[in-house]
Every structure is written in C-alpha cells, then in structure tokens.
C-alpha cells in the first residue's frame, strides 16, 4: 500500500485535479490519497475570518469568492451523474462556514479554537471533491483518526490514540481512500484542531507509518527537492537522493517542500519518501531513504534558509563558569512554549545566543528577564537582547563529515561577498552548518554559497557596465559573442545586470539581452548619475558582482570606494582613480585586498597589453623594478608615425581622433597628461610612491594651446604645422624619428619628446603601438620588452574583458 499526498497547487484547479485523477487511477496497488485544501484556500480562510472579526463587511464578498471557486471546480471535475449530489454537499458545508463567519462578524470576536475549526473546511471540502472524482474511491474524515493533545499554544499528535484509530479505520482495505490532510481533533474534547501550516504532509506520513506503507509520495509543483529555494535562486536543480537525516536538516530549516515533522514517522518505520511533480509525473523526483551512501563528490547537498529569525543574546560576566545558566535559559523558554532553532555559545561562556521566530521574541525576552531578575539586579547579567529581522541559513550534507575545510570555505565565501555572519553553529554530527545574517543579505548569501560549493552547474559573474562608447560598446559585443563559449567550456555565466550610458541606466537581476540592450536602455532606462549607479548597485546587493567603468569620468571614479567597500569588484578602463592622489589609489587597492575582491585596471596602460600583470608577477616573485622606458601614447605615436608632407600636425591630430585612438579631448594626449597618468600608474604598480606633480614634463606644443576651449584648440593648432614640418624634414635627412618617451628610474619620472635613431629600440614602433622596456634586478643587461597595439577600442575592450574574467573563479 502506498500513501500519496497532493499539495494545494496539485488540487488547486480543474486541470490539476484531472492530473491527480490520472496519477491515482494508474496505481497498481491500493493507495491512500491525502489532499490539501485547494491552493491558497487556507490563507483565504484565515483572511476572511480576520475581516469578519474586525467588522469589515467585505468578508461576505471574500467568502462568496471561496464558495464560487469550489463550485467552479466541482462543475469542472465531477462527472455529470454525481455533480448535483457533490454540489449539495459542498454548498451545505460552505453554507455552514458562512454562518460561522456571520457569527464572528456580529460578535467581532475570534478565538484560536474557532479559527482552527474554520480552516478545517478547506481540507474537508477538497477531500470531498477529490473523493468523488477518482474512480472507486471512498472519502474518510481525518478528524476522526488524527488525534491531538494540547502542548503550550500548539497541538501535538497523540500517536498512541491516533495509531490505534487509524488501524481500526483502515481495517478493511479499499482500492482508494481519500482524506484531508492537516486537520485533526482533540483526543479528549473532539474539538477540531490542526497539525500546523503545511501539515498535510505530516498527515500522510502518520498514515504511512501507522499502516506500514511501502512508500510515501509527496506530489507537489516542483520536480523534487532542490539544492535551494527555487524562488530565490535561479540555477537550482533537483537532488536525486537524500538520506533521512539530510532531508530532515534541509526541511527543518525552512525549505518548504516538506513540512518538517513529516520525516520522522517515515524515518522511524523506514518508509522511503519520494517527492514528485504532479505537473511532470515522468520526472524521477527526489528519493529520501535510509541509504546514507552518496554518489556525489559535492561537499554539500543543499542549502536551506528561514527568513523569520530573531537572535536573542543572554550575556553577563556572572555566567562564566556558573553551572546551570543554560539549563535555566532553555527551561524558561520551554515553559513558555518557545521553540529555539539555533544555539551558539562561545567557549568564553559569557554569552549564549539563540534564534527564535520574530513573533516569539518579546515573550522570550520577558521570560529570560524574569528568570534572571536577581542576577540582573546584582549586575551579574545583562537584560536579554533581541536582534530582529534576521535570516538563518544552513548548508547540509552527509559528505561534510569527510571533507575538511567546509566551514572555512563557507565563511570565506561569505566574507568576500561582504555578508556579515552574526552567529553560527555546527552540530557535532557535521551534517549541518548554520549561520545567522541580516535579512537583506539572505538572497545574496544563498546565491554565493550555491555558486561556491559548485551546486550550480555553472558560476555566475554579475557585471555592471557604465560607458557604452567605443570601448564599452565593443566590450558588450565581445561579451555577447563569447557568452555561449564561456558557459559551455568554462561553466561561467557572464550576466550583464546593469548598463549605463551618459544619459540612462538599466538594471535587471535576470540579465540584459546584449542583442537589444541599446533599444532597451532607450525604452526602459532611467536617468542616471554616478550616485544613482552606486545606489542601485548597492541596493541590488547582488552576489559575485563587478563594476566595469568604460568612461573617462572623474565622477564615476569617485564611486569605486563605496563599491569596493561593499565587496563589488571594480574593473576600470578609466585611468582617473589609479592616477589620482597616491593615498586614494592605495586606499582602493587596500580595500580590495582586505575584502578579497579585485580592483583591476590593466587597460590603463598599453590597452590590452599584459603590462600590469607582468609587473605584478615580477614583483610578487621577488624581483625589483629599477627602470622603465616607454612609449605609452598610442595617439602620439600614431601622430609621429603619420606626419608627412601631406599630413600636417593638425591633420594627423584629427585623423587620430577619428580613428578612435585619442582621448575624447586630444589635448589630454598632446599635453602629455595622459602619458603622465600612465607613467604614474606604472610606477606605483612597480612599487614607487609617486604623484603626477612629481613628473618632469617637457611639452612639445606650447602651453597656451591647452588653456582655452576645445574649439579654440581646433581653430588654432594649425599654426604649429609649419614648425613641425621643418622639424620632420630635418629628422628625415638624419634618419631619426620622434618619440614621446616616458621614463622612470628608481622612482624619478619624466616625459618628453626624444629624437631616436635607427639603432634605438623605440625607433621601430609602428602605427599607434606602445612599447615598454623594463629593467629589473633579474632582467638587467637585456631589459624585458612588451610591445604591441597600445590603443584601439577592440584591444582595450579585450583587456577589460580579460580583467573581468580574472575575477570569476573559473573551475
Ligand atoms: P504543496 O502545496 O504541494 O505542499 P509547498 O508550497 O508546500 O507545496 O512546497 C513546494 C514549494 O516549495 C515549491 O513550489 C517551491 O517554490 C518551494 N521550495 C522552497 N524550497 C525548495 C527546495 N529546496 N526545493 C524545492 N522546492 C522548494
Ligand atoms: N492547507 C494547509 C495549509 O495551507 C495544509 C497544507 O497545505 O499542507 O497550510
Ligand atoms: Mg506543503
């Protein structure tokens, strides 16, 4: 014999009840079918009774909607010949309920006892309907055999009486018995009670255990027990096997799929549980049994969470070494019927913290302050403190026992993502590590844990990008093209969750379609500013996230600090931050390193060339950088390589701008400002504390050209053409070339124009290329040379892309 339980969604509509009929009628052996109320009805019954009790006359409409929903279902599922009779039964039942509601409205009074009676109508109605839909089924009223006794404010199952009554009731085996879940009655008084919200699962388990069923099937609306709550995490998947212990740990901790007390009766009688999907019956589901062997190498099986958490702390130096303090704490709580689901005490013994539901907090504090009134008065202990609106998360799996370092990995992952752990606990059985955090960090915590324990088939890196000009635009194209490959080959999902241009910004957790992002930003974006970007990004509090700055904006650079301080990595093509005051640069790097995240700016120098990485590798491996000589301006190099009799200075500047090599304002290149910034960044990365003002700058265009507006500059720069042409002709006869060279020697920096001859390594430098010669203690007689494209949207975007990828923890 099997017990099949169908949840609220499974019996919530005409179509779903017809599915249930099919599933049950296809069974070969006798079955007991336990059903919940039609989906959502229990909530509505609580709601309508509260309306009535508060004197709100709209309770009538709400009640009528409940009646109508049931009648519609009857009309849709009950065969014509039985319909009138079933309609009468349901109408009478709900008529009775409507009268009770009327009484509550008139008296404006509602007791727990009456509420318990009211909510029982949901399962009474649903079981009557389903019993008439399934061929050859009989319907039993569960209140007759599921018996409870009061305990504090709850009702607990009186197993002794219940088991005897079940055996009696089910003595004659039927092909199909349908009964309502959740509902019960008091052993002594027969007053209607229930097993608690979600309790239909428990009813089914009690029946299965009492009658030694071969299996307990929980039919619901998902394919099985998933690695985490699918409503919070998108890439969860079904766990095919769980041990009873794992299932207990997972559902006790809030996973909704099974009502927690359900596991014990099945475990006790060794009855396997299968979770199945009514809407996808061929899916294998999750099998829960006493088999504790596991075929997965994953350290944890699943994650579970409760958002209703209040942490209560009892503290006092007077607790240290005193026997019986914890006994008194838990005795006081138990006396008041308060359930504790996490306990944490440090070895110092001067405080004990434990987690309860928010609604139990006031009572718990009162009970503890009464219990310890004398100690509080003597100053040996403090008043109990309640911290509300927290969440509890648990990671679960029998494999944890075998794998060291799980707790380290868990807390490391949380730390890197800026998630604060307020309290934690690990049982000695090592199948569960639980911790308490802020409610607002819950989603992020679940996501990062799911990600870092490889529960996900792939990892996600969430990207916010600002600046959709040449570099940003090209980067988005590259990401779009590369996304499928990264997913297939590296298990990395690059999810672009925010894009901002100069006017508008668009954010979505699900990721923006990079085929249509331009139109989408135009249509749905909101007006943006760096502050808005910061607030949105921090507000979304999304896990594994990186902010990518493809602008040249000083204002955008000011938000890095807040982002890094909140564990959002930063990748900057923008040079402002890394070349700003040394203190600022050093602070940003230090925040990133303390928080275990990254602040990367490889493309600040030499576009996509691996310069910063190389310098870092040299230094990290113990080398010392003594000297650097470099051509770092793709724009200037392009200009000097392009100058000819036809291409005057002013013309080549325009050409550089049009080719996308120059900064938006080319004077930043011509004044050497851009090269100075790059040299500063390089020198800092090489270990020298330098400021832009320390760089000796030898200008090759008189300073007055840089003072007016950009328009003035374009209008007057032609004046320099003749002088440059003369200079060029002389160099041509001397076989020399002009190079704008940046030099750093033991921390002393300078930039300026040099004439180099054919033997000089800087002579052959084509187009807009860059070159960097690094002399170190190891690379001494022959400096290391890095050379190649130093500008251009494509290579710069690729460099930014590489920085982004290096942040992802690729498998
Ligand atoms: P029923 O009404 O069938 O009893 P429940 O609502 O009690 O169903 O439980 C199923 C729901 O539990 C799913 O629809 C899903 O949204 C939610 N859920 C939460 N955590 C998990 C999890 N780890 N695995 C599967 N479902 C989960
Ligand atoms: N109908 C009850 C509830 O909604 C019991 C159940 O669905 O399991 O809580
Ligand atoms: Mg349920």
């Amino acid at each position: 014999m099997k017990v099949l339980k169908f949840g609220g969604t499974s019996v919530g509509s005409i179509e779903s009840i017809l599915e249930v009929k099919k599933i049950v009628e296809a069974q070969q052996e006798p079955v007991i079918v336990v059903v919940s109320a039609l989906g959502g009805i229990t909530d509505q019954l609580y709601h309508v009774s509260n309306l009535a009790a508060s004197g709100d006359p709209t309770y009538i409409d709400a009640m009528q909607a409940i009646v109508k929903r049931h009648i519609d279902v009857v009309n849709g599922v009950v065969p014509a010949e039985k319909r009138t009779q079933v309609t009468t039964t349901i109408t009478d039942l709900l008529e009775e309920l409507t009268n009770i509601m009327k009484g509550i409205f008139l008296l404006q009074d509602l007791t727990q006892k009456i509420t318990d009676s009211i909510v029982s109508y949901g399962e009474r109605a649903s079981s009557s309907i389903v019993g008439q839909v399934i061929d050859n089924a009989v319907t039993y009223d569960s209140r007759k055999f599921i018996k409870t006794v009061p305990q504090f404010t709850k009702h607990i199952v009186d197993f002794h009486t219940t088991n005897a009554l079940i055996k009696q009731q089910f003595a004659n085996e039927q092909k199909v018995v349908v009964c309502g879940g959740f509902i019960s009655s008091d052993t002594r008084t027969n007053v209607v009670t229930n097993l608690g919200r979600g309790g239909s699962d428990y009813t089914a388990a009690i029946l299965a255990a009492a009658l030694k069923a071969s299996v307990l099937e929980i039919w619901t609306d998902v394919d099985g027990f998933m690695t985490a709550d699918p409503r919070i995490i998108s890439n969860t998947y079904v766990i095919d096997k769980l041990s009873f212990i794992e299932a207990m740990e997972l559902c006790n901790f809030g996973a909704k799929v099974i009502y927690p007390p359900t596991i014990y009766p099945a475990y006790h009688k060794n009855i396997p549980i299968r979770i199945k999907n009514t809407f996808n019956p061929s899916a294998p589901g999750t099998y829960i049994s006493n088999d504790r062997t596991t075929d997965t190498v994953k350290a944890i099986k699943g994650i579970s969470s409760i958002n209703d958490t209040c942490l209560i702390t009892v503290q006092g130096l007077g607790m240290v070494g005193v026997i019986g303090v914890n006994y008194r704490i838990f005795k006081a709580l138990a006396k008041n019927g308060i359930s504790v689901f996490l306990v944490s005490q440090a070895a110092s013994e001067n405080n004990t913290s434990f987690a309860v539901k928010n609604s139990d907090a006031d009572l718990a504090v009162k009970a503890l302050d009464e219990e310890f009134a004398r100690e509080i008065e003597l100053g040996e202990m403090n008043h109990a403190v309640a911290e509300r609106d927290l969440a509890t998360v648990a990671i679960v799996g029998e494999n944890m026992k075998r794998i060291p370092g799980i707790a380290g990995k868990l807390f490391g992952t949380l730390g890197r993502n800026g998630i604060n752990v307020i309290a934690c606990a690990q049982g000695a059985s090592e199948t569960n590590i639980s911790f308490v955090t802020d409610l607002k960090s819950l989603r992020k915590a679940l996501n990062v844990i799911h990600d870092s324990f490889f529960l996900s088939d792939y990892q996600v890196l969430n990207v916010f990008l600002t600046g959709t000009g040449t570099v940003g635009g090209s980067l988005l194209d590259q990401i779009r093209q590369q996304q499928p490959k990264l997913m297939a080959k590296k298990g990395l999902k690059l999810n672009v969750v925010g894009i901002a241009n100069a006017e508008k910004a668009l954010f979505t957790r699900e990721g923006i379609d990079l085929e249509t992002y331009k139109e989408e930003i135009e249509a749905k974006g909101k007006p943006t500013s760096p502050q808005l970007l910061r607030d949105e990004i921090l507000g979304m509090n999304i896990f594994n996230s990186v902010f990518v700055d493809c602008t040249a904006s000083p204002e955008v650079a000011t938000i890095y600090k807040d982002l890094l301080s909140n564990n959002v990595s930063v990748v900057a093509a923008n040079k402002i931050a890394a070349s700003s005051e040394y203190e600022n640069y050093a602070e940003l790097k230090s925040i990133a390193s303390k928080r275990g995240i990254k602040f990367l700016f490889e493309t600040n120098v030499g576009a996509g060339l691996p310069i910063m990485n190389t310098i870092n590798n040299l230094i990290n491996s113990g080398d010392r950088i003594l000297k650097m000589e470099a051509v770092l301006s793709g724009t200037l190099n392009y200009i000097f390589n392009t100058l000819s009799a036809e291409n005057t200075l002013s013309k080549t500047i325009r050409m550089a701008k049009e080719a996308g090599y120059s900064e938006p304002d080319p004077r930043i290149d011509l004044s050497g400002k851009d090269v100075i910034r790059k040299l500063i960044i390089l020198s800092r990365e090489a270990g020298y504390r330098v400021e832009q003002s320390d760089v000796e700058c030898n200008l090759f265009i008189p300073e007055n050209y840089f003072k007016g507006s950009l328009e003035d500059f374009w209008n007057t720069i032609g004046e320099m053409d003749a002088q440059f042409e003369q200079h060029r002709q002389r160099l041509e006869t001397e076989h020399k070339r002009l190079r704008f060279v940046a030099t750093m020697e033991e921390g002393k920096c300078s930039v300026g124009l040099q004439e180099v001859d054919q033997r000089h390594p800087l002579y052959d430098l084509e187009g807009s290329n860059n070159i960097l010669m690094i002399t170190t203690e190891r690379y001494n007689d022959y400096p290391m040379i890095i050379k190649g494209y130093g500008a251009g949207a494509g290579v710069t975007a690729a460099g930014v892309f590489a920085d982004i990828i290096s942040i992802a923890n690729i498998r």
Side-chain angles (χ1 to χ4, degrees):
M1 189 266 304
K2 285 164 101 174
V3 176
L4 275 57
K5 179 259 166 174
F6 292 90
T9 323
S10 305
V11 294
S13 69
I14 296 170
E15 299 72 29
S16 68
I17 295 179
L18 295 175
E19 285 301 320
V20 171
K21 175 179 164 70
K22 256 197 259 165
I23 293 165
V24 175
E25 288 173 3
Q27 301 294 324
Q28 304 297 321
E29 54 192 307
V31 289
I32 298 174
V33 175
V34 177
V35 292
S36 296
L38 309 194
I41 287 291
T42 310
D43 284 319
Q44 285 169 31
L45 292 174
Y46 280 113
H47 177 64
V48 179
S49 47
N50 286 330
L51 282 181
S54 63
D56 185 336
T58 61
Y59 85 91
I60 285 277
D61 306 327
M63 189 57 225
Q64 275 169 1
I66 292 177
V67 177
K68 179 170 183 312
R69 168 132 178 246
H70 282 85
I71 298 301
D72 287 349
V73 167
V74 170
N75 289 334
V77 296
V78 178
E81 66 278 10
K82 293 192 198 164
R83 207 169 293 153
T84 325
Q85 177 223 323
V86 181
T87 307
T88 313
T89 312
I90 297 298
T91 318
D92 289 353
L93 194 64
L94 297 181
E95 176 74 39
E96 195 180 299
L97 179 59
T98 309
N99 287 332
I100 296 176
M101 295 287 189
K102 221 176 269 171
I104 295 171
F105 177 71
L106 293 173
L107 295 171
Q108 296 201 7
D109 187 24
L110 183 59
T111 61
Q112 184 60 46
K113 197 164 133 188
I114 298 176
T115 310
D116 284 348
S117 170
I118 289 172
V119 292
S120 74
Y121 282 80
E123 268 73 7
R124 288 162 68 187
S126 65
S127 55
S128 294
I129 300 171
V130 175
Q132 295 295 339
V133 176
I134 296 168
D135 286 347
N136 302 317
V138 294
T139 306
Y140 291 169
D141 183 346
S142 309
R143 292 174 302 167
K144 283 199 191 142
F145 45 84
I146 306 286
K147 291 290 182 178
T148 61
V149 285
Q151 189 188 57
F152 302 109
T153 53
K154 302 187 182 79
H155 305 283
I156 59 161
V157 174
D158 169 3
F159 274 101
H160 183 71
T161 315
T162 301
N163 285 340
L165 289 172
I166 292 175
K167 284 190 188 115
Q168 211 175 313
Q169 174 81 38
F170 289 79
N172 300 324
E173 196 167 83
Q174 307 277 347
K175 174 82 180 56
V176 182
V177 177
V178 176
C179 41
F182 178 60
I183 55 179
S184 49
S185 66
D186 186 274
T187 305
R188 264 186 327 112
T189 62
N190 281 334
V191 162
V192 181
T193 58
N194 63 58
L195 305 184
R197 293 309 307 272
S200 297
D201 301 333
Y202 192 24
T203 308
I206 296 167
L207 286 166
L211 299 168
K212 298 204 175 55
S214 59
V215 62
L216 165 60
E217 293 183 353
I218 307 278
W219 288 79
T220 182
D221 55 0
V222 279
D223 276 349
F225 216 120
M226 309 216 170
T227 47
D229 190 335
R231 293 164 301 184
I232 307 185
I233 302 190
S234 56
N235 50 359
T236 55
Y237 58 86
V238 174
I239 308 170
D240 53 354
K241 267 172 57 185
L242 284 170
S243 70
F244 282 121
I245 309 276
E246 287 171 333
M248 191 112 68
E249 300 269 23
L250 278 172
C251 65
N252 202 16
F253 242 78
K256 225 186 147 200
V257 220
I258 316 180
Y259 182 52
T262 310
I263 311 285
Y264 184 73
Y267 161 74
H268 185 54
K269 289 283 161 64
N270 195 14
I271 299 168
I273 305 175
R274 200 180 273 289
I275 317 284
K276 295 278 289 175
N277 189 351
T278 305
F279 306 93
N280 184 16
S282 59
T286 300
Y287 189 68
I288 303 169
S289 70
N290 68 356
D291 178 5
R292 297 175 74 169
T293 57
T294 166
D295 40 16
T296 166
V297 292
K298 289 177 181 163
I300 66 172
K301 278 276 186 70
I303 318 164
S304 178
S305 61
I306 314 178
N307 53 17
D308 181 0
T309 300
C310 171
L311 195 70
I312 302 207
T313 301
V314 178
Q315 188 183 23
L317 287 175
M319 288 168 71
V320 180
V322 178
I323 309 262
V325 174
N326 282 333
Y327 166 70
R328 287 171 60 195
I329 294 176
F330 294 107
K331 187 183 66 176
L333 297 170
K335 256 200 322 207
N336 286 278
I338 296 167
S339 155
V340 171
F341 51 81
L342 174 141
V343 182
S344 158
Q345 179 185 14
S348 69
E349 289 190 43
N350 89 355
N351 65 52
T352 295
S353 296
F354 53 86
V356 299
K357 285 196 204 143
N358 283 304
S359 57
D360 284 338
D362 287 341
L363 183 58
V365 168
K366 185 165 162 279
L368 291 165
D369 282 354
E370 275 169 18
E371 174 68 38
F372 293 106
R374 212 178 76 82
E375 286 83 354
I376 293 172
E377 206 185 313
L378 293 173
E380 289 172 4
M381 279 172 70
N382 304 339
H383 285 280
V385 177
E387 244 181 298
R388 283 161 218 275
D389 296 328
L390 305 175
T392 312
V393 178
I395 60 171
V396 171
E398 303 237 22
N399 266 359
M400 276 202 257
K401 281 198 272 287
R402 291 176 270 273
I403 306 176
I406 303 292
K409 183 167 175 178
L410 172 68
F411 295 120
T413 305
L414 295 170
R416 265 195 309 286
N417 279 279
I419 297 164
N420 190 23
V421 172
I422 302 171
C424 62
Q426 174 181 0
S429 69
E430 287 187 62
T431 46
N432 174 326
I433 302 176
S434 314
F435 66 91
V436 176
T437 185
D438 291 328
L439 189 53
K440 67 176 182 358
S441 303
L442 176 60
R443 174 189 288 271
K444 191 169 170 187
L446 293 179
N447 274 292
V448 292
I449 300 170
H450 203 267
D451 217 68
S452 80
F453 281 93
F454 301 151
L455 288 182
S456 317
D457 287 338
Y458 52 86
Q459 275 206 295
V460 182
L461 185 64
N462 292 298
V463 179
F464 293 95
L465 179 135
T466 180
T468 55
T470 45
V471 174
S474 241
L475 176 61
L476 287 172
D477 282 344
Q478 290 179 11
I479 295 179
R480 176 175 51 74
Q481 282 166 19
Q482 202 55 16
Q483 264 168 340
K485 250 190 236 155
L486 285 171
M487 181 73 141
K489 297 236 163 73
K490 298 282 177 199
L492 175 66
K493 178 173 175 189
L494 270 191
N495 200 23
V496 181
V497 288
I499 303 181
N501 59 30
E503 284 85 38
K504 285 181 172 182
L506 180 72
F507 301 91
T508 144
R509 277 181 186 279
E510 287 66 44
I512 298 170
D513 183 350
L514 299 185
E515 294 279 358
T516 54
Y517 76 90
K518 285 190 192 130
E519 297 78 26
E520 270 200 67
I521 295 181
E522 207 34 57
K524 296 192 223 138
K526 48 178 146 183
T528 186
S529 69
Q531 285 63 39
L532 174 113
L533 285 180
R534 180 197 55 205
D535 295 347
E536 284 282 340
I537 295 169
L538 298 185
M540 279 168 84
N541 195 19
I542 212 163
F543 76 110
N544 283 0
S545 53
V546 49
F547 175 69
V548 182
D549 181 2
C550 293
T551 72
S553 151
E555 291 77 32
V556 174
T558 62
I559 70 171
Y560 297 176
K561 185 173 163 191
D562 285 345
L563 296 174
L564 291 166
S565 302
N566 285 281
N567 293 64
V568 177
S569 290
V570 172
V571 170
N574 183 348
K575 302 180 199 81
I576 302 278
S579 62
S580 63
E581 296 73 41
Y582 186 85
E583 290 300 334
N584 185 49
Y585 155 87
E587 187 184 17
L588 297 178
K589 294 217 15 148
S590 134
I591 297 173
S593 99
K594 278 198 196 115
R595 297 197 155 257
I597 52 166
K598 294 201 175 152
F599 170 40
L600 299 177
F601 38 86
E602 176 64 78
T603 55
N604 281 191
V605 182
L609 295 177
I611 291 180
M612 236 63 89
N613 269 324
T614 308
I615 291 181
N616 280 312
N617 289 342
L618 288 172
I619 292 186
N620 292 340
S621 62
D623 206 348
R624 211 166 76 80
I625 293 174
L626 305 173
K627 184 177 175 190
M628 296 190 284
E629 250 188 302
V631 170
L632 299 175
S633 170
T635 319
L636 294 183
N637 205 48
Y638 170 86
I639 291 172
F640 296 135
N641 283 340
T642 312
L643 280 177
S644 65
E646 303 79 54
N647 293 332
T648 61
L649 176 71
S650 58
K651 188 172 168 197
T652 51
I653 298 173
R654 266 178 222 285
M655 287 162 71
K657 166 105 179 51
E658 274 151 29
Y661 293 140
S662 76
E663 291 288 308
D665 179 349
R667 292 176 302 174
I668 300 206
D669 296 301
L670 296 166
S671 64
K673 194 167 169 42
D674 187 53
V675 175
I676 289 174
R677 282 191 208 153
K678 290 173 174 166
L679 181 61
I680 285 298
I681 299 171
L682 275 185
S683 306
R684 287 174 175 176
E685 290 290 292
Y688 297 93
R689 185 186 177 117
V690 286
E691 298 287 358
Q692 291 194 31
S693 54
D694 298 335
V695 180
E696 185 190 320
C697 177
N698 306 305
L699 287 175
F700 62 92
I701 291 180
E703 209 165 341
N704 54 323
Y705 285 99
F706 302 122
K707 292 202 168 130
S709 69
L710 184 56
E711 202 185 332
D712 291 343
F713 170 79
W714 287 123
N715 289 337
T716 53
I717 187 63
E719 298 162 6
M720 296 294 297
D721 288 352
Q723 184 191 328
F724 257 81
E725 176 54 15
Q726 241 180 7
H727 194 168
R728 191 194 63 79
Q729 283 177 9
R730 173 173 64 77
L731 291 180
E732 201 168 56
T733 53
E734 292 173 12
H735 302 291
K736 285 183 178 166
R737 284 181 181 163
L738 279 175
R739 294 289 177 243
F740 193 76
V741 184
T743 315
M744 190 284 304
E745 201 160 358
E746 297 276 5
K748 224 180 125 354
C749 301
S750 63
V751 299
L753 212 51
Q754 284 183 21
E755 297 173 2
V756 296
D757 64 27
Q758 279 163 307
R759 285 186 315 270
H760 197 284
L762 302 186
Y763 182 89
D764 274 324
L765 195 63
E766 311 299 326
S768 67
N769 286 1
N770 278 192
I771 183 168
L772 170 65
M773 295 192 287
I774 312 174
T775 310
T776 74
E777 280 175 354
R778 289 185 194 137
Y779 291 84
N780 207 293
D781 292 338
Y782 304 100
M784 176 189 276
I785 295 181
I786 304 170
K787 182 174 168 183
Y789 290 129
V795 285
T796 309
V800 175
F801 200 173
D803 273 352
I804 297 174
I805 299 286
S806 78
I807 287 174
N809 186 8
I810 293 184
R811 294 162 198 188

